[in-house]
Amino acid sequence: MGQINLARVDDRLIHGQVMTKWTKGFGTNSVYVVDNATAADDFMKDIYVSTNSTGGLSIKVYSATEVAEEWKKNQFGDDKVVVVFKYIKEVKEAMDAGLELKELNVGGVSKKANTKFVIPTVAIGDDEKALLKDFHDNGLEIYFQTVPDSKRVEYDSAIK
């Protein structure tokens, strides 16, 4: 049975921090990119998947419902996975479709209109805040952290 080593929201998806910091030390052998738009774009999907050789990690791209279906099949087989979601709303969609998460790292959400920073690398609006509250109230451990060696900020401290 596979294992989710980290579930993270990061709107940059795969980048240096994910590939060099978050995948190390847990036996991670796969990164699953979860973004509905990227999963529907064969060109972009091929770009992500073709980076498999970087660090010896397998990279797969799924929509939110596809990643849940993969989980329900066999809990990701033998993969030890970092699941990177582009949007908090896609975390909800994947969980509603059957993906089981115990904790969620929110580490990179860029500033947009009507959002506020909760840590220097995460800006959320009312919709994201409501989703995170729902996750938290239903037992999902949520924390905000940019990289493993930066300060981990728990949900209750970040969302006031």
Side-chain angles (χ1 to χ4, degrees):
M1 181 167 82
Q3 174 180 318
I4 299 172
N5 289 340
L6 175 72
R8 176 178 171 89
V9 176
D10 191 324
D11 59 16
R12 296 171 295 169
L13 298 172
I14 293 180
H15 56 87
Q17 290 173 344
V18 169
M19 297 304 284
T20 63
K21 302 274 186 183
W22 287 108
T23 61
K24 304 298 181 211
F26 299 105
T28 300
N29 61 13
S30 296
V31 175
Y32 289 6
V33 171
V34 180
D35 176 41
N36 293 339
T38 302
D41 183 332
D42 288 338
F43 177 73
M44 287 304 297
K45 193 173 179 177
D46 286 346
I47 288 173
Y48 280 103
V49 172
S50 70
T51 62
N52 278 353
S53 62
T54 305
L57 296 169
S58 169
I59 298 174
K60 299 175 183 176
V61 179
Y62 295 109
S63 70
T65 54
E66 289 169 341
V67 79
E69 290 303 315
E70 285 300 311
W71 175 256
K72 289 189 294 188
K73 277 184 199 173
N74 63 1
Q75 286 72 46
F76 300 152
D78 294 327
D79 288 350
K80 307 282 189 270
V81 181
V82 170
V83 182
V84 183
F85 295 89
K86 187 162 188 170
Y87 300 110
I88 294 168
K89 67 183 180 182
E90 290 175 336
V91 174
K92 177 172 179 25
E93 186 179 342
M95 290 175 57
D96 286 350
L99 181 65
E100 297 174 20
L101 298 177
K102 294 180 178 144
E103 63 180 36
L104 179 66
N105 165 266
V106 185
V109 180
S110 43
K111 179 84 170 111
K112 296 174 227 39
N114 300 315
T115 63
K116 293 182 182 174
F117 284 105
V118 293
I119 65 170
T121 59
V122 175
I124 60 173
D126 291 340
D127 291 345
E128 293 93 355
K129 193 173 185 179
L131 287 171
L132 292 173
K133 180 181 183 332
D134 185 52
F135 296 159
H136 179 264
D137 290 351
N138 285 294
L140 183 63
E141 181 180 338
I142 300 168
Y143 63 97
F144 300 84
Q145 188 174 20
T146 306
V147 292
D149 54 353
S150 66
K151 182 181 178 194
R152 176 179 166 139
V153 180
E154 300 300 329
Y155 172 83
D156 290 329
S157 296
I159 305 293
K160 297 174 189 163

